[in-house]
């Protein structure tokens, strides 16, 4: 029925995409000509209105450093492997935040940006674009690829070393420190940041004041028992170094609203579900999103899939963050991530044709895909997989 409706619509009105296949073929045959859906500008700081709706390529070395341990959706990772390249579309939400950062006074308390929107609209890939921007601009990246994983399915739990009645997630903490080291190890070595006080772990184990900041990270990795405490110390030190002007920090957290859900899926021995404030691993990431430090930025995404299966009526930040989370972040800058507009949909179809993600076409296929996907990026990707 949808197919017949789409064909009737095509007869009544001429589609913007009716020449998609012909255009893709022409671009391929034109020697040395750049496809119109691509841009050669790989410097994210130069992305603006002229590059909107176009794909740019993230170099393999940058992708390995930023996204080895997370940051790209698994479905997108599979697509990258299939296409043999890592391309992101330049979209308005990311460009809007980049333009804000260009004119930000970093001597003032940090700005908090909150991405929100429908499932599959592209919030995680917008964060990926901003991570690449931060990497290129020499920010220290504090990145949590999907925070709800810690509160839904932790690898291991243990009684907290420093907070009575709370739980540590030692293996998850150590894994995050490996991710942090992979993203920032080279930059921290160049910056020469040190710890400001002694960190006493046991009678024989101490990280003394003046030791390299990476010593704190290495200890948390090698001694997973202390990984959550090491992360708390690391976040405290980064806030101090940023405020002192010795580094600039970008905090990027996906699924941030899970921090303010009434309960987690972690249970005590008495089968009582814990609240997020009793999980020591997540508390430093709550603290670093306060605006009590300078020379940094926080970009957070709220999502209905983040521990909110019983709270799906809206995608708005106030609804997903509850009153506590909203007041914790207030004031913040909300950035809505919508589905593809006309130009973005056109570019995506051309890209899929070029990569042979769409191989079987017939007149009006683009209109039908537009109707079936409602121009939702994830839905479009799934629909095109079988063509």
């Amino acid at each position: 029925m949808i197919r017949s409706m789409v064909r009737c619509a095509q007869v009544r009105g001429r589609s913007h995409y009716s020449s998609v296949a012909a255009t893709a073929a022409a671009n391929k045959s034109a020697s040395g000509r750049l496809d119109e859906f691509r841009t050669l500008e790989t410097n994210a700081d130069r992305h603006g209105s002229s590059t909107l709706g176009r794909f740019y390529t993230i170099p393999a070395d940058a992708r390995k450093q930023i996204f080895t341990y997370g940051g790209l959706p698994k479905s997108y990772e599979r697509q990258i492997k299939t296409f043999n390249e890592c391309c992101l579309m330049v979209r308005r939400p990311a460009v809007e935040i980049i333009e804000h950062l260009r004119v930000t006074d970093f001597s003032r308390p940090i700005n908090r940006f909150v991405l929100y929107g429908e499932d599959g609209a592209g919030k995680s890939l917008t964060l990926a674009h901003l991570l690449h921007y931060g990497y290129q601009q020499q920010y220290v990246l504090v990145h949590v690829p999907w925070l709800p994983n810690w509160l839904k399915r932790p690898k291991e739990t243990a009684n907290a070393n420093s907070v009575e009645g709370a739980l540590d997630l030692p293996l998850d903490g150590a894994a995050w420190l490996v991710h942090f080291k992979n993203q920032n190890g080279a930059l921290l070595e160049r910056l020469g940041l040190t710890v400001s006080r002694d960190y006493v772990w046991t009678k024989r184990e101490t990280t003394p004041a003046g030791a390299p900041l990476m010593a704190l990270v290495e200890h948390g990795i090698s001694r997973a028992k202390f990984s959550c405490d090491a992360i708390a110390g690391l976040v405290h030190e980064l806030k101090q170094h940023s405020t002192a002007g010795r580094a600039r920090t970008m905090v990027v957290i996906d699924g941030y609203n899970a921090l303010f859900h009434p309960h987690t899926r972690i249970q005590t021995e008495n089968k009582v579900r814990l609240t997020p404030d009793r999980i020591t691993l997540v508390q430093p990431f709550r603290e670093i999103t306060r605006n009590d430090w300078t020379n940094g930025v926080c970009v957070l995404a709220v999502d209905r899939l983040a521990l909110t299966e019983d709270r799906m009526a809206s995608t708005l930040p106030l609804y997903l963050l509850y009153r506590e989370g909203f007041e914790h972040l207030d004031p913040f800058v909300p950035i809505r991530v919508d589905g593809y507009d006309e130009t973005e949909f056109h570019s995506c179809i051309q890209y899929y044709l070029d990569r042979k993600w769409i191989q079987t076409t017939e007149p009006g296929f683009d209109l039908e895909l537009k109707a079936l996907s409602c121009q939702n990026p994830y839905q479009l990707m799934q629909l095109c997989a079988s063509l």
Side-chain angles (χ1 to χ4, degrees):
M1 181 177 177
I2 291 178
R3 188 182 297 271
S4 62
M5 291 170 61
V6 170
R7 286 176 176 168
C8 289
Q10 186 183 24
V11 172
R12 289 195 299 269
R14 191 171 183 176
S15 170
H16 178 66
Y17 310 106
S18 58
S19 61
V20 169
T23 302
N27 284 337
K28 287 188 69 177
S29 62
S31 176
R33 180 181 170 188
L34 179 69
D35 295 314
E36 66 175 17
F37 56 85
R38 293 184 186 269
T39 176
L40 290 175
E41 187 54 76
T42 59
N43 185 349
D45 187 43
R46 296 178 183 172
H47 290 165
S49 57
S50 62
T51 56
L52 282 174
R54 298 189 177 191
F55 286 86
Y56 84 102
T57 303
I58 297 179
D61 57 339
R63 178 195 163 208
K64 182 178 180 181
Q65 184 168 345
I66 304 170
F67 302 115
T68 294
Y69 297 102
L72 295 172
K74 290 183 179 179
S75 56
Y76 205 78
E77 286 276 13
R78 291 193 294 270
Q79 183 174 286
I80 289 170
K81 187 175 181 180
T82 302
F83 293 172
N84 198 31
E85 63 177 5
C86 181
C87 282
L88 291 177
M89 183 186 287
V90 180
R91 302 192 64 199
R92 189 168 298 281
V95 170
E96 185 177 343
I97 293 175
I98 289 170
E99 289 175 346
H100 275 296
L101 293 178
R102 291 192 192 119
V103 296
T104 293
D105 179 1
F106 285 99
S107 65
R108 310 283 294 181
I110 60 164
N111 289 322
R112 280 85 58 91
F113 298 91
V114 176
L115 302 180
Y116 70 100
E118 295 295 329
D119 303 339
K123 299 183 291 294
S124 295
L125 291 182
T126 297
L127 294 180
H129 188 173
L130 293 167
L131 279 169
H132 188 219
Y133 167 82
Y135 165 78
Q136 291 179 323
Q137 297 299 307
Q138 304 294 295
Y139 284 81
V140 176
L141 301 177
V142 178
H143 173 223
V144 182
W146 185 241
L147 189 144
N149 280 343
W150 295 340
L151 306 180
K152 285 183 177 181
R153 52 188 79 88
K155 296 181 175 68
E156 182 185 56
T157 60
N159 291 328
N161 297 310
S162 54
V163 182
E164 186 177 353
L167 287 183
D168 283 345
L169 309 182
L171 297 184
D172 291 291
W176 185 84
L177 287 170
V178 170
H179 177 53
F180 178 86
K181 178 183 176 182
N182 192 68
Q183 287 184 325
N184 302 288
L187 175 61
L188 290 179
E189 187 176 344
R190 290 197 300 273
L191 294 174
L193 303 180
T194 59
V195 299
S196 60
R197 64 178 180 85
D198 293 342
Y199 288 87
V200 180
W201 312 108
T202 66
K203 291 181 179 180
R204 297 183 179 181
E205 296 176 293
T206 304
T207 302
L213 190 59
M214 283 304 296
L216 205 58
V217 176
E218 295 287 0
H219 186 80
I221 294 171
S222 61
R223 296 278 281 138
K225 176 182 178 181
F226 301 109
S227 61
C228 295
D229 293 333
I231 291 171
L234 174 66
V235 165
H236 174 74
E237 297 290 344
L238 284 175
K239 288 173 70 172
Q240 285 192 330
H241 285 302
S242 294
T243 301
R246 292 186 286 268
R248 184 167 289 176
T249 303
M250 175 181 280
V251 180
V252 179
I253 302 177
D254 202 354
Y256 179 76
N257 51 306
L259 273 176
F260 302 97
H261 199 261
H263 49 74
T264 71
R265 293 186 185 172
I266 302 173
Q267 296 182 343
T268 65
E269 294 178 354
N270 298 324
K271 303 300 181 182
V272 176
R273 295 174 70 176
L274 289 175
T275 55
D277 64 316
R278 306 311 297 166
I279 308 300
T280 57
L281 176 57
V282 301
Q283 296 315 304
F285 300 101
R286 180 169 176 160
E287 289 302 310
I288 202 171
T289 53
R290 297 184 186 278
N291 63 344
D292 57 357
W293 57 288
T294 62
N295 205 26
V297 61
C298 290
V299 186
L300 316 168
V302 296
D303 199 294
R304 286 190 296 192
L305 302 179
L307 277 180
T308 53
E309 292 84 349
D310 58 341
R311 197 172 172 86
M312 303 287 282
S314 174
T315 62
L316 295 176
L318 175 59
Y319 182 80
L320 293 178
L321 286 166
Y322 293 83
R323 176 63 62 181
E324 180 189 3
F326 190 89
E327 292 177 351
H328 174 79
L329 291 177
D330 190 46
F332 63 87
V333 181
I335 304 287
R336 182 174 176 83
V337 181
D338 289 312
Y340 287 146
D341 61 22
E342 299 293 312
T343 302
E344 291 170 341
F345 184 82
H346 178 59
S347 293
C348 190
I349 292 293
Q350 285 188 312
Y351 180 66
Y352 285 164
L353 285 166
D354 179 72
R355 295 286 93 189
K356 299 293 188 293
W357 193 243
I358 300 177
Q359 297 186 27
T360 305
T361 63
E362 58 183 59
F365 80 95
D366 44 0
L367 278 172
E368 188 165 354
L369 286 172
K370 183 179 179 182
L372 290 170
S373 67
C374 298
Q375 295 176 247
N376 179 281
Y378 177 77
Q379 294 297 331
L380 179 63
M381 181 180 68
Q382 295 297 100
L383 287 167
C384 293
S386 59
L387 296 180

